[in-house]
Amino acid sequence: MTQKYNHQAIEKKWQKYWDENKTWETKTDSRKKQYVLDMFPYPSAEGLHVGHPEGYTASDIVSRYLRMKGFNVLHPMGWDAFGLPAENYAIKTGTHPIITTKQNIDNMRKQIKSLGFSYDWSREVVTSDSDYYKWTQWIFVQLFKHGLAYEAEAPINWCPSCKTGLANEEVIKGTCERCSTKVGKKQIKQWLVKITDKKYIERLLNDLDRKELDWPENIKLLQKNWIGRSEGADVVFGIDGHDENIMVFTTRPDTLFGATYMVLAPEHPLVKKIVTKEKKIVVDKYIKQSENKSDLERTDLAKEKTGVFTGSYAINPVKNKKIPIWVADYVLVSYGTGAIMAVPAHDERDYEFAKKYQLPIIEVIKPPRVMPKMHPPMGSAAAWGMQDSDLEYKCWTGDGEMVNSDEYNGLDSQEFKKKITTRLEKNGQGHAAINYKLRDWLFSRQRYWGEPIPIIHCKKCGRVAVPEKDLPVKLPEVKKYQPTGTGESPLAAIKGWVNTKCPRCGGPAKRETNTMPQWAGSNWYWLRYCDPDNKKQIADQEKLKKWLPVDLYVGGAEHAVLHLLYARFIYKFLFDIGVVPKEVGDEPFVKLKNQGIILGEDNQKMSKSRGNVVNPDKVINEFGADSMRMYEMFMGPFEDSKPWSTQGIVGIKRFLDRVWLVIGEHIEKNQDELLKQKSSKAIHKTIKKVTEDINSFKFNTAISSMMEWFNARDWGMKLNKYGELEGEEFDLGAIKKFIVILSPFAPHLAEELWQKLGHKKSISCEPWPTYNEELIKEQEIVFVVQVNGKLRDNIKANAGASEEDVKKLALTSPKVSRYLSGEPKRIIFVKGKLINFVV
Ligand code: ANZ
Ligand code: ZN
């Protein structure tokens, strides 16, 4: 009797075997390469979350599959170990982050290993190791030397709870990405990285559309919108009674005749100059009020707009007419020129503002006669399944025919846009302009647990980069690492470390005390996996040439504008300075896949407070790693969010237990009489389906088809007298093939069965089975075609043809179509037999 499957013992056994035999160590040889990368985790005290194995299992299945297809696969893992979560945890527990980080890594590594992933652990990287962050600092020095890292004093996003500055990308709906506290503003000296540099911004945008980039459309769109390129014009307005001008950025120069007032951002330097005596007190008060509002609060369409009149007037350059200048915080100082021409007839925010403050509204674009929106009479909305508010537009924001625009009346607004821009250029009143939403990347943190920024401040020489030979600048091991909240990092208090010599003049100097953000270590780590122990450079050029770019990158969609944008930028920079070899191109990740979120059993986001968190250790212990892996792949489409179900994993475990018992039994008992020789068509079909599904990330349907095959027991093979399974093909019986295609999903079980079959080598050395297209070809059979139950024709179609296919074929027959006019009321379809049109 075959013993019940003991997942605990068998899984441990194979994990040990793989470790000892270095089964997953990447060898350098001439096979074609594939680089399969997971977003590395940060070592959290909570350990692994059930969401982690979702992506890791998918990438593991693909890696194992590709190895069996004959590729040389690089599949590494490491730790994003610096940053706020680690530091906050250390502060909470009172244990130094050096210690807690190590503990957390050890624990998570053990957890990850217990799932049997085929990582090459010999290439593990830890971003908080000085051997690693030496190169993170080196990259910063290169950015600095190329003028792409600079220090500036500017109001920045400030999280009062994390007591640090944040990049724009880290502010989610006005709150801190880490702790959800409302983000304020603070004026301090900061390091910024010039991601908006002309050399990069258009590439970051346009390269997203490269053919070879196989990324989800939504992620590309999120990045494009974040970069936010707008084409339009800068237009100059004179100020009545002043020498100065106001420059505005507009995407709609075609609405210039409709500009009835102007708005300056409260921080705009001109405000102080043009405000009249009478208005000064009100305006100053208004400016003070808007200081503490976030950009989001200021620009939110749903929030009521506020503003005050400055007392001064500008001149509309095409109409030579005075229009009032207002100050309002719905205009941001950081975008465009920090000033706008307001066109209430064609811009919603301006419209609401004008209504509120009774400013004139002049229509200059007539909507096309055929409205894009449906326009039933007011009050009848319900009949159209709409609400009254859906019917009306407040102001027309689309294109149309020019009106109230002097000699341009009657022109199409698009055409006029070009004309007016040319006219403004000719008269020195403006020019075509492009603006981006993307801002430079705030790169300094006032926290302890990060890479020290390798800069030395010298009174005489200014900011001097730490020479390469002195890298890494090690993070000093201090007792007090709590954030100070003063805008300085805790490092500032360590006088012995701060005070140093200027590398240029030898005079007394001070070290930069800010540290880098967590993204610094994660935006180049996949290069280091190619050559993790290199002491002389980031990685050897030949090795980078061999492995880059990453062929498949798997991780969460939440990184769309954070990690993935930074990573692309740094990679392009490293490409430009010759670190990334020319041959591999300047896009790091060819194919990107995002896993969906795994919800709690109650369909809610998993959280401690809801008590719906599933503990992966418990699941692995109770059901086994193979069940956990298979279940997470079986839950539903990879990209979808889906709820956990204990019932579901029980089902998967039952399936694997049956595979073990049934196949194991046959192997042991030589029950050849039970295994009648049959056509192996079914296994060929299954191999084809599983192969295609792995390639298209449809793991759930791959698993279904394996289940279907197994349950049908259509095995077409038998055991020979040596107790080996044998099919009509000389080496692999159907069962053998089945075990091989199951192995990327349930590797422990597959290895054990493989060994039972007498094999001495790991199943991972087996080639991926091929399938015979000829065998799978569907047989053609005759379908009966009826109209209202009366036989009208017989047609030939594949036995497995769908209703849709048979319908299409049937409709081409004149004997049938003559009885049909328009769509039939109903169709009765019997697979492999009949189609009946009811009319
Ligand atoms: C006049 C106008 C008329 C505008 C019209 C729009 C519609 P995007 O597409 O996001 O680039 N704008 C310019 N600078 C601004 C700032 N610093 N803060 C707030 N709003 C600003 O939007 C560009 C449009 O946003 C510009 O075009 C300007 O309003 C406004 F029928 O100018 B527009
Ligand atoms: Zn100096």
Side-chain angles (χ1 to χ4, degrees):
M1 250 305 270
T2 301
Q3 293 283 310
K4 224 181 127 225
Y5 186 66
N6 181 347
H7 63 258
Q8 276 151 347
I10 292 172
E11 288 176 355
K12 281 280 145 329
K13 165 184 158 185
W14 286 104
Q15 284 159 20
K16 194 159 160 257
Y17 173 93
W18 295 326
D19 259 352
E20 286 175 358
N21 289 279
K22 303 188 162 79
T23 310
W24 314 124
E25 271 189 24
T26 317
K27 327 245 169 358
T28 18
D29 55 44
S30 58
R31 282 173 300 164
K32 271 182 101 178
K33 72 95 183 180
Q34 283 281 313
Y35 190 169
V36 181
L37 181 69
D38 285 299
M39 289 184 187
F40 64 167
Y42 68 83
S44 117
E46 262 102 63
L48 217 59
H49 180 275
V50 290
H52 288 117
E54 192 189 7
Y56 301 164
T57 304
S59 66
D60 193 60
I61 290 170
V62 173
S63 297
R64 287 171 178 268
Y65 162 76
L66 289 170
R67 285 191 201 97
M68 293 169 118
K69 288 287 277 185
F71 288 97
N72 193 4
V73 176
L74 175 56
H75 187 43
M77 185 40 96
W79 309 97
D80 190 11
F82 266 142
L84 277 181
E87 187 174 337
N88 288 343
Y89 176 71
I91 290 168
K92 206 176 83 192
T93 57
T95 317
H96 199 283
I98 294 178
I99 298 167
T100 56
T101 299
K102 186 172 178 317
Q103 284 169 350
N104 295 342
I105 288 177
D106 288 344
N107 176 45
M108 279 180 79
R109 190 193 296 106
K110 208 176 94 216
Q111 289 184 300
I112 289 180
K113 283 195 165 183
S114 76
L115 278 152
F117 296 129
S118 61
Y119 292 120
D120 178 355
W121 286 102
S122 72
R123 292 168 185 260
E124 183 178 2
V125 300
V126 182
T127 56
S128 59
D129 280 355
S130 59
D131 285 349
Y132 180 91
Y133 70 68
K134 170 179 177 171
W135 299 107
T136 310
Q137 292 176 333
W138 182 87
I139 293 172
F140 184 88
V141 169
Q142 308 312 308
L143 287 167
F144 177 70
K145 287 185 173 164
H146 285 82
L148 292 170
Y150 63 96
E151 206 182 13
E153 183 147 338
I156 56 149
N157 308 306
W158 179 263
C159 173
S161 162
C162 294
K163 298 193 173 70
T164 184
L166 299 173
N168 285 351
E169 289 79 9
E170 291 169 308
V171 181
I172 313 292
K173 295 196 176 133
T175 68
C176 170
E177 191 231 0
R178 288 294 174 199
C179 72
S180 300
T181 305
K182 195 177 152 227
V183 168
K185 285 249 149 78
K186 196 173 180 115
Q187 182 93 14
I188 40 174
K189 240 190 189 164
Q190 292 292 333
W191 282 93
L192 292 124
V193 167
K194 219 169 169 186
I195 192 166
T196 61
D197 190 88
K198 288 271 167 305
K199 212 170 160 203
Y200 294 97
I201 197 161
E202 287 284 315
R203 278 156 80 193
L204 285 170
L205 188 66
N206 297 335
D207 293 353
L208 287 170
D209 288 327
R210 282 209 201 145
K211 262 207 314 294
E212 70 268 22
L213 221 65
D214 181 6
W215 281 33
E217 283 307 319
N218 63 324
I219 298 285
K220 289 202 254 181
L221 194 65
L222 280 168
Q223 276 206 13
K224 285 182 189 171
N225 289 342
W226 189 258
I227 296 168
R229 184 183 195 272
S230 291
E231 264 180 46
D234 283 345
V235 184
V236 180
F237 286 67
I239 308 172
D240 192 35
H242 289 262
D243 293 336
E244 262 128 333
N245 292 318
I246 300 177
M247 170 97 93
V248 304
F249 170 69
T250 176
T251 46
R252 299 294 305 270
D254 50 320
T255 62
L256 188 49
F257 283 87
T260 56
Y261 66 101
M262 299 197 75
V263 183
L264 299 178
E267 304 87 347
H268 197 291
L270 271 179
V271 176
K272 295 230 154 59
K273 292 189 185 158
I274 62 162
V275 63
T276 57
K277 257 202 232 104
E278 304 79 61
K279 299 286 178 188
K280 192 165 180 332
I281 295 173
V282 199
V283 169
D284 283 348
K285 191 170 153 217
Y286 182 78
I287 294 172
K288 266 232 121 42
Q289 275 170 6
S290 49
E291 256 166 28
N292 280 321
K293 283 199 217 166
S294 71
D295 288 358
L296 186 86
E297 280 172 88
R298 287 170 55 162
T299 50
D300 191 349
L301 266 178
K303 289 237 162 84
E304 195 178 318
K305 305 284 160 297
T306 58
V308 285
F309 177 42
T310 62
S312 287
Y313 293 84
I315 318 282
N316 184 325
V318 286
K319 288 169 90 173
N320 249 326
K321 239 181 121 179
K322 285 200 324 189
I323 56 174
I325 306 172
W326 285 62
V327 174
D329 61 17
Y330 75 92
V331 173
L332 303 175
V333 72
S334 54
Y335 186 65
T337 62
I340 66 159
M341 65 179 208
V343 185
H346 303 289
D347 179 277
E348 276 177 47
R349 279 179 305 187
D350 298 346
Y351 176 85
E352 267 162 34
F353 195 84
K355 278 272 175 210
K356 180 170 170 186
Y357 295 108
Q358 288 159 4
L359 292 155
I361 301 174
I362 299 174
E363 186 185 43
V364 290
I365 294 170
K366 221 166 72 186
R369 210 174 304 249
V370 184
M371 296 287 300
K373 261 192 187 177
M374 266 193 268
H375 233 235
M378 285 296 289
S380 65
W384 291 76
M386 296 192 264
Q387 295 180 342
D388 274 340
S389 56
D390 291 334
L391 302 179
E392 238 190 336
Y393 59 91
K394 296 191 183 96
C395 54
W396 178 243
T397 57
D399 289 315
E401 182 190 319
M402 299 309 305
V403 292
N404 293 322
S405 300
D406 294 356
E407 69 263 39
Y408 303 105
N409 288 346
L411 278 183
D412 172 70
S413 60
Q414 292 266 11
E415 196 187 332
F416 174 54
K417 201 175 192 172
K418 288 184 208 132
K419 281 220 158 105
I420 187 71
T421 308
T422 316
R423 168 172 158 181
L424 289 168
E425 271 169 6
K426 233 195 267 154
N427 300 342
Q429 291 169 320
H431 50 81
I434 293 166
N435 260 289
Y436 302 91
K437 294 260 151 49
L438 187 67
R439 294 283 85 106
D440 278 345
W441 172 16
L442 186 79
F443 207 74
S444 41
R445 300 291 179 275
Q446 293 68 48
R447 297 289 299 239
Y448 170 69
W449 192 236
E451 303 86 349
I453 291 179
I455 294 288
I456 289 168
H457 298 271
C458 167
K459 278 234 169 68
K460 237 166 70 197
C461 314
R463 301 174 192 98
V464 182
V466 173
E468 263 172 55
K469 65 169 174 46
D470 296 338
L471 294 178
V473 177
K474 285 206 181 160
L475 183 64
E477 289 184 27
V478 294
K479 298 240 160 51
K480 270 184 73 185
Y481 44 83
Q482 278 75 3
T484 64
T486 59
E488 275 198 320
S489 109
L491 295 179
I494 314 166
K495 295 289 172 247
W497 181 82
V498 173
N499 292 317
T500 184
K501 269 195 198 131
C502 170
R504 194 169 295 161
C505 71
K510 285 190 189 312
R511 286 188 190 281
E512 169 66 49
T513 58
N514 280 325
T515 53
M516 298 188 201
Q518 185 161 24
W519 317 108
S522 63
N523 63 41
W524 68 277
Y525 71 109
W526 66 99
L527 274 76
R528 191 67 177 167
Y529 285 139
C530 300
D531 192 10
D533 301 318
N534 200 316
K535 294 257 181 294
K536 297 211 184 78
Q537 48 187 329
I538 281 185
D540 175 72
Q541 283 276 305
E542 287 310 310
K543 290 183 178 164
L544 292 176
K545 249 185 246 174
K546 162 130 193 115
W547 293 112
L548 295 176
V550 171
D551 298 284
L552 171 66
Y553 197 19
V554 181
E558 68 276 17
H559 292 294
V561 293
L562 289 155
H563 166 61
L564 287 170
L565 183 64
Y566 299 149
R568 290 181 62 228
F569 168 70
I570 292 295
Y571 196 75
K572 285 178 189 298
F573 170 67
L574 293 175
F575 176 86
D576 289 355
I577 64 168
V579 172
V580 171
K582 291 276 167 288
E583 292 83 349
V584 305
D586 67 347
E587 276 295 329
F589 315 121
V590 176
K591 181 172 178 158
L592 177 72
K593 283 283 178 185
N594 303 121
Q595 75 256 29
I597 292 170
I598 297 184
L599 303 167
E601 203 135 10
D602 54 0
N603 234 324
Q604 303 290 311
K605 208 173 147 102
M606 281 193 198
S607 79
K608 267 198 207 146
S609 58
R610 283 206 188 89
N612 61 354
V613 179
V614 176
N615 177 340
D617 287 342
K618 269 202 192 142
V619 176
I620 295 166
N621 193 37
E622 189 173 347
F623 301 97
D626 285 341
S627 297
M628 170 98 170
R629 294 167 57 112
M630 283 261 275
Y631 171 61
E632 291 212 356
M633 293 300 98
F634 190 61
M635 290 174 83
F638 182 70
E639 296 84 357
D640 288 8
S641 68
K642 49 228 160 206
W644 184 269
S645 150
T646 304
Q647 209 48 46
I649 193 163
V650 167
I652 289 283
K653 168 137 178 66
R654 231 178 255 148
F655 169 69
L656 290 177
D657 282 347
R658 256 195 347 263
V659 169
W660 168 258
L661 280 176
V662 174
I663 295 183
E665 193 103 320
H666 287 324
I667 297 171
E668 275 175 20
K669 285 197 173 171
N670 275 9
Q671 292 174 324
D672 30 11
E673 74 280 5
L674 282 176
L675 300 166
K676 287 202 205 78
Q677 185 84 30
K678 270 199 220 161
S679 152
S680 66
K681 190 168 133 186
I683 192 69
H684 283 259
K685 250 173 125 173
T686 309
I687 295 167
K688 179 172 197 256
K689 178 87 177 121
V690 172
T691 307
E692 288 171 354
D693 282 354
I694 289 178
N695 279 310
S696 51
F697 259 68
K698 289 191 197 138
F699 307 107
N700 56 333
T701 51
I703 294 171
S704 315
S705 69
M706 287 190 279
M707 288 174 158
E708 213 175 284
W709 178 85
F710 179 82
N711 291 334
R713 300 286 159 85
D714 187 11
W715 294 348
M717 46 69 69
K718 61 181 180 179
L719 293 165
N720 65 19
K721 62 180 170 184
Y722 307 108
E724 283 177 342
L725 288 156
E726 193 179 68
E728 67 290 310
E729 281 173 45
F730 64 96
D731 60 347
L732 276 180
I735 283 193
K736 276 191 180 177
K737 290 183 178 172
F738 172 71
I739 298 170
V740 173
I741 59 172
L742 180 68
S743 71
F745 297 81
H748 309 86
L749 175 76
E751 290 277 22
E752 188 70 12
L753 283 172
W754 198 243
Q755 193 180 52
K756 240 173 168 350
L757 278 163
H759 297 276
K760 296 276 178 292
K761 277 209 215 148
S762 160
I763 194 167
S764 63
C765 304
E766 217 36 48
W768 189 255
T770 51
Y771 51 88
N772 185 337
E773 281 283 3
E774 272 311 302
L775 258 180
I776 308 169
K777 259 209 185 138
E778 289 272 3
Q779 196 191 336
E780 282 210 326
I781 54 160
V782 175
F783 277 81
V784 169
V785 185
Q786 301 174 333
V787 178
N788 286 341
K790 280 214 181 82
L791 176 71
R792 295 301 177 193
D793 201 0
N794 290 304
I795 58 161
K796 272 192 177 171
N798 283 340
S802 67
E803 173 177 326
E804 208 39 47
D805 293 340
V806 177
K807 179 183 161 190
K808 260 195 217 134
L809 277 172
L811 291 179
T812 59
S813 157
K815 289 187 198 162
V816 177
S817 56
R818 112 159 62 116
Y819 296 98
L820 298 170
S821 57
E823 276 293 302
K825 272 199 219 109
R826 208 151 60 84
I827 292 175
I828 298 162
F829 178 72
V830 184
K831 204 171 171 178
K833 285 211 171 79
L834 153 159
I835 189 159
N836 178 13
F837 297 96
V838 182
V839 295

